[in-house]
Every structure is written in structure tokens, then in C-alpha cells.
Amino acid sequence: MIYPDTFEEKIGFKEVRALLRERCLSSLGKECIEKVHFSSDTDEVNEWLEQVREFRAIQNSGIEMPLQYFFDVREAVARLRIEGTHLDEAELFDLQRSLDTIHKLVVFLRGNKDEETEEKNDRKALRHLTDDIKTFPELVRRIGQILDKFGHMRDDASPELARIRKELAKAEGSISRTLWSILRSAQSEGLVDKDVSPTLRDGRLVIPISPALKRKIHGIVHDESATGKTVFIEPTEVVEANNHIRELEAQERQEIIRILTEFSKEVRPHIEDIVDSYSLLATIDMIRAKAELARTIGGIELEVSKKPLIDWTRAIHPLLMLSLKKQNREVVPLDIRLENNNKEAKASYGRLMIISGPNAGGKSVCLKTTGLLQYMIQCGLSVPMSERSRAGIFRHILIDIGDEQSLENDLSTYSSHLLNMKNMMRTADDRTLLLIDEFGTGTEPQIGGAIAESVLEELWKQKAFGVITTHYQNLKHFAENHEGVVNGAMLYDRHEMRPLFRLEPGRPGSSFAIEIARKIGIPERVINNASEIVGSDYIQSD
């Protein structure tokens, strides 16, 4: 199932995706992060998680992995398909370093072909990424004959370039000597300050001088300073020499273009394979970002089973954890189990969990934690929970999470909930995970609760899994009367009147409306009257 942006936004995965992008080394990795997607293929998910597990093992081993140069030059290389085109020096330098990184990564991950080393066996998932990757060490070596270690064209890239640069250096040296001679003479006559030296203007060597004295030195005025207090004169004696330098520079540029164009002919037959090889850099960058995020949130890589299953211990909502960490606060971990049960185990777990408890007691956090972590697992991401946890695969994750910021009226909000319910009943099966927040709200409570119970009955018949939060008593009773459905209570400290944010499976939770009303100071006669209105059975049940 393809999940829309709105789904990822509601469960918080858009923020997780942003955290991954921040940890990428390159645009290659960021592009790959955008393609991270939910999969219901168990083998694929386990392969993704194994890649992260292996990468983290390499990081923890202290072995240096070649991750220096992640440049994306695919567009520049693809441009070479047109005859006569060439890469500029900067692009060629990026190509050299990134191709070298690709080659070193392939060698690193493949290991010694003749030996079945322990390291080689520990990198199977990462090694598979290199299966169809071609490397180009000879092109890297050839670029090294053209560019120096700073990415500039080497003097000996061709005999003609060496000749031009030698002549250029000779001409520049001659001009410099002539200018210094003229400058020293002008300084001795008091025409120019003692600390003045020749400078470049428009590629020509000139002497800075006061405007009032410019007629004392014969030559061409090329420019003046922003303040107008200095003009730049090219003495007549060096005009021809400067012209010659400009000609040599033009020849130098032409020769560089010729060298680059000739080298491009060597690259052209390999364009497709070179462009394809960058998929390795992109994927490794993405896996590295996953590993870095795992370290940040204390995540682990679970081994995922084929059957739908959630059996998590000390599971933590990663975004909530990062947010509270800034406030020096900690998240209360979640223990939750959704699994096909037997009658003996009915009290402790089932396929559907009905979570109840007071407002602001953590019901929605439980639901969103379940949704986000399961989605992360099936996108191949590490999740923060105990290593004793187990996870399975769901075909669909369906949500109905209210938007507290909604400006819609109750009727349209309830209509939206009903539309979600209709879609859930149409799609749900025994490999579906349902996440429904405040089930049945948005309309008159009695009929809202009845419709919610009827929908829940249908979803139960379809053998769906799910976490459902509610205040309705009838839904709490539903769990007691249906196999595979369990209640869950958000614990509340009745003495201090504060939520504990801990989920306790096996029993329903109370909204503690009476206790909260008392604490706030509602008169006892009003509370007693309210109790009589709802009836002693309801109060006793609560």
C-alpha cells in the first residue's frame, strides 16, 4: 500500500524523514531518503535492517570505511553524451574523487575474493549492494595525470600546455621586473608611496598612483578605486608584454579545453555504467544516515517475522524523546503486545487493544508510538525499544487520528471519521493494523458509542489488529466479551491526581471524571447530582 504525505505527517514520519536528510553527506543520500518507503515484504524489510545492522557493526569496530567524497556528478557526466562536450576542471576533480570512493567502497565491501573471512560474512547485505556496480580505477588514474592534488590542471598534462605555461611564466617574470624598475624610479622621485606594489586589474599588471600624478607616468589608465583617490596605470613599456600574456592565457585556455575534450572521449563509452555506479554512493549515504539516526535515538534493528505481530518492551516515541530531552525530561516507555492469542492468555494480550483513561493521560501517545514505530520498522529503520522486543509485518496501516487544530464543525468532523471507518471496513483484513484515536467521538455520545461498537464488531470479524483509544464504556465492555480483544488502562495516581503515562494491559481505564472534578473544587452537591444522573451502575463500572 502506498501511503500519502498526509498519513506520514499524522504519524510523525515526515519529521523522521527530515532527521534522516539532516544526517546525509550529499544530495545523493537526500535523494535516496525521499524514496524510503513502507514495505510489506518481510525479506525486503529484513534486508534493509540488516544493512543498517552491518553498517553500525563496522562503525563500532573502529575499521575505517571509505566515506570521504560523496559528490553527485551524474548530470555533468550525462552531458558528455553529446559529442564535443567536456567536464570543467572542478567537475573532473569531483568525478575523480567520487569514482575513487566508489572503487574503494566496492573493494572494502567485497573483501578478499579468495577468502571467506569473518568480516566478509558479516557484510553480506552491504556486499549485495555492489553486485552490479562497475568501478573505474583506470579513469581515476588518468584524471590524476591531468589534475594535481588540488584539482588544477597539471603543467605536464600535455607537452603543449607545458610549453605555453613556461613561456607565460617567463613573460610574467619579465613584466614584473620592468614594473618594479618603473615603480622604484617613481618612488625615488616621490611620485608613488614607498609601500605601493604592482597589482592586477582586468588581468593586467598595473601601478596604483594618485590621480594628480597620473600624467607623470606614461601609460594607459585602466581603473580607479571606489574612493577615487587611486588610479591604476599600465606603463607604456609593458603594454605589449601584457598583450602577449593575454594571448598566451587564451592559448592556455584553449589547450586546457582540448585536453578536457579529449579525455571526455575516454569517459563517453562508460557513461551509463558510471551514472549507475553512483547508486552505491546514494544507498551507502542513506544507510549511514539511518545508522546515525539510530545512534541518536538509541534504536535497534529487529529481526522481523512474516506474521503480523507487535510485542514491544520499553518502546519509545523517538520524536517525543528528542523533544523532552531538550527539557531534561524523559519519556515513559511503552510495553505493548498485539498478537493472536489463546483463551488462557486473553487477559494479557490480543489482536485489538482498547485503551482508556483520563484526558492527557497518554492514550494518544501510545497510539502514535505504535503507528510510528511500526511504520519505521517496515521502512527499514532502527527503533528505540528493548532487544527483547519482537515485530512482524502488516500489509496495511490504517489510521483515524483527529486533528485538534481542525476548524471544521462537529458534523463534518464526524463525517470524516465515518468515511475513515468505511474505508477501514473495506480494506481491513488479518494483516491490517488499525490506529483509531477517540473512537466514536464527534457526535451525540449515545449513538456515537453505538456506531463505534458496531464498526468495531465488523473490524473484529475481519480479524484486524489495532490500537483504539476511547472514553466509551460500551467499548470497554466489548473487550471483555470478545476473544482477541483486550482492554488497556493508562495508569493514574489517584492520590496525587496526576497521570503516570504508563499502559497496563488487561483492564480498562477510568476517565477519573469524578475525582478530577473534586480536585478542581466542583461542589459536592453538583458531583452527587451528576452521579445520580448517570446512575450508580455507570459510576460503579467506572
Side-chain angles (χ1 to χ4, degrees):
M1 184 170 183
I2 298 172
Y3 289 88
D5 285 349
T6 51
F7 174 91
E8 293 197 350
E9 189 171 356
K10 278 183 178 291
I11 65 166
F13 192 76
K14 284 189 87 170
E15 292 176 64
V16 171
R17 203 184 285 276
L19 290 171
L20 288 168
R21 278 197 303 270
E22 289 171 11
R23 286 160 175 75
C24 287
L25 298 170
S26 68
S27 59
L28 286 158
K30 290 176 183 177
E31 185 181 302
C32 225
I33 293 299
E34 293 309 310
K35 296 175 184 175
V36 167
H37 64 278
F38 177 94
S39 172
S40 56
D41 183 324
T42 309
D43 293 336
E44 184 174 46
V45 171
N46 278 322
E47 181 81 0
W48 291 341
L49 290 167
E50 181 61 23
Q51 289 166 357
V52 181
R53 191 181 295 115
E54 289 177 5
F55 193 96
R56 295 183 74 186
I58 292 169
Q59 285 181 318
N60 294 334
S61 71
I63 298 171
E64 187 100 17
M65 197 171 179
L67 302 170
Q68 287 85 0
Y69 302 111
F70 280 64
F71 301 114
D72 185 3
V73 292
R74 291 172 300 174
E75 191 176 323
V77 171
R79 193 176 67 230
L80 295 181
R81 291 189 181 100
I82 302 169
E83 291 286 340
T85 55
H86 64 83
L87 303 177
D88 62 31
E89 288 168 83
E91 290 169 336
L92 191 61
F93 194 39
D94 286 349
L95 177 66
Q96 179 196 31
R97 291 179 293 174
S98 52
L99 282 182
D100 190 43
T101 297
I102 292 169
H103 175 66
K104 287 175 178 174
L105 270 173
V106 169
V107 171
F108 177 84
L109 295 175
R110 287 179 182 169
N112 191 326
K113 289 183 179 179
D114 302 322
E115 293 181 26
E116 279 296 322
T117 62
E118 188 176 337
E119 290 84 356
K120 184 176 178 182
N121 290 328
D122 286 346
R123 298 174 193 163
K124 283 183 179 178
L126 292 175
R127 193 168 72 248
H128 286 327
L129 298 174
T130 71
D131 286 349
D132 299 317
I133 301 298
K134 293 184 179 178
T135 62
F136 302 91
E138 183 56 29
L139 283 181
V140 171
R141 188 190 67 79
R142 281 283 294 116
I143 296 172
Q145 294 175 336
I146 296 172
L147 303 180
D148 63 21
K149 63 180 180 180
F150 303 109
H152 302 132
M153 187 67 67
R154 293 167 58 106
D155 291 349
D156 60 355
S158 78
E160 178 63 11
L161 185 62
R163 182 195 67 77
I164 292 169
R165 286 188 171 174
K166 187 176 180 182
E167 191 174 339
L168 196 53
K170 184 178 176 182
E172 286 172 344
S174 175
I175 288 178
S176 180
R177 287 191 294 275
T178 303
L179 272 181
W180 275 108
S181 174
I182 294 169
L183 188 60
R184 281 193 291 270
S185 175
Q187 286 170 338
S188 64
E189 295 175 23
L191 301 177
V192 179
D193 292 339
K194 295 291 183 184
D195 59 347
V196 166
S197 60
T199 187
L200 270 175
R201 271 295 188 271
D202 296 327
R204 302 177 82 91
L205 279 167
V206 294
I207 296 174
I209 192 169
S210 169
L213 302 172
K214 65 182 179 182
R215 298 191 184 281
K216 300 288 186 178
I217 296 179
H218 298 294
I220 300 169
V221 176
H222 277 280
D223 199 3
E224 68 175 38
S225 65
T227 61
K229 294 181 179 179
T230 305
V231 294
F232 300 92
I233 292 180
E234 181 184 18
T236 306
E237 294 91 326
V238 297
V239 170
E240 281 304 314
N242 264 332
N243 286 342
H244 182 51
I245 284 177
R246 298 300 283 269
E247 289 171 6
L248 288 171
E249 287 173 344
Q251 289 176 26
E252 178 190 35
R253 187 62 203 150
Q254 286 172 1
E255 179 60 13
I256 287 172
I257 290 172
R258 188 196 68 77
I259 293 168
L260 293 172
T261 304
E262 281 300 308
F263 178 74
S264 295
K265 293 178 182 177
E266 298 179 43
V267 176
R268 195 162 286 119
H270 309 291
I271 287 174
E272 300 305 325
D273 289 333
I274 289 174
V275 170
D276 289 345
S277 72
Y278 279 82
S279 64
L280 178 63
L281 283 189
T283 306
I284 291 294
D285 196 6
M286 175 190 66
I287 294 169
R288 179 191 168 279
K290 287 182 179 182
E292 290 300 313
L293 180 61
R295 183 159 56 180
T296 302
I297 63 176
I300 63 166
E301 301 77 47
L302 294 170
E303 184 73 30
V304 179
S305 65
K306 290 183 182 295
K307 68 176 183 177
L309 162 71
I310 289 176
D311 183 9
W312 301 341
T313 305
R314 300 192 63 77
I316 289 173
H317 193 295
L319 303 177
L320 183 59
M321 179 192 74
L322 294 175
S323 175
L324 292 181
K325 193 174 183 180
K326 294 174 184 175
Q327 306 168 36
N328 291 318
R329 296 167 59 199
E330 291 187 356
V331 182
V332 178
L334 170 68
D335 293 349
I336 187 168
R337 184 175 181 182
L338 300 180
E339 186 176 8
N340 274 317
N341 62 0
N342 52 50
K343 290 180 181 178
E344 289 73 24
K346 185 178 186 302
S348 60
Y349 70 92
R351 288 183 287 108
L352 290 165
M353 179 174 283
I354 312 294
I355 301 179
S356 48
N359 285 329
K363 298 191 302 295
S364 295
V365 172
C366 283
L367 183 140
K368 291 179 179 179
T369 301
T370 305
L372 178 58
L373 294 183
Q374 186 63 39
Y375 194 79
M376 287 175 67
I377 289 168
Q378 291 190 232
C379 286
L381 295 177
S382 314
V383 285
M385 58 182 67
S386 163
E387 291 190 0
R388 298 196 304 274
S389 303
R390 299 181 299 147
I393 289 288
F394 293 91
R395 185 182 293 119
H396 311 292
I397 300 179
L398 305 177
I399 63 169
D400 181 41
I401 299 176
D403 182 359
E404 294 177 3
Q405 305 302 317
S406 175
L407 299 178
E408 299 173 279
N409 60 42
D410 285 345
L411 179 60
S412 60
T413 300
Y414 187 59
S415 297
S416 173
H417 287 313
L418 288 178
L419 183 61
N420 286 338
M421 293 307 106
K422 183 183 83 168
N423 290 333
M424 283 182 177
M425 288 186 288
R426 181 185 295 164
T427 307
D429 58 18
D430 60 357
R431 292 190 61 199
T432 297
L433 176 63
L434 307 171
L435 304 167
I436 307 174
D437 199 21
E438 298 297 352
F439 198 19
T441 57
T443 189
E444 192 275 316
Q446 198 165 351
I447 188 64
I451 291 175
E453 183 175 344
S454 183
V455 170
L456 184 56
E457 177 92 30
E458 191 65 28
L459 295 170
W460 172 75
K461 288 176 181 175
Q462 291 170 305
K463 301 187 183 305
F465 291 71
V467 177
I468 296 163
T469 70
T470 188
H471 286 291
Y472 287 145
Q473 290 283 22
N474 64 314
L475 297 186
K476 300 177 192 178
H477 291 305
F478 182 94
E480 296 300 320
N481 301 321
H482 289 75
E483 187 180 338
V485 187
V486 292
N487 275 306
M490 296 310 301
L491 297 185
Y492 197 80
D493 189 324
R494 298 182 69 157
H495 301 291
E496 297 188 22
M497 297 302 291
R498 64 180 181 85
L500 299 175
F501 303 108
R502 250 188 4 255
L503 174 65
E504 182 174 303
R507 67 184 181 91
S510 168
S511 62
F512 292 96
I514 298 294
E515 289 88 341
I516 292 170
R518 251 189 209 110
K519 184 183 181 187
I520 288 173
I522 299 295
E524 195 65 29
R525 66 181 181 277
V526 175
I527 293 173
N528 290 335
N529 190 33
S531 299
E532 287 177 15
I533 290 170
V534 297
S536 59
D537 287 347
Y538 184 93
I539 296 296
Q540 187 61 37
S541 173
D542 193 54

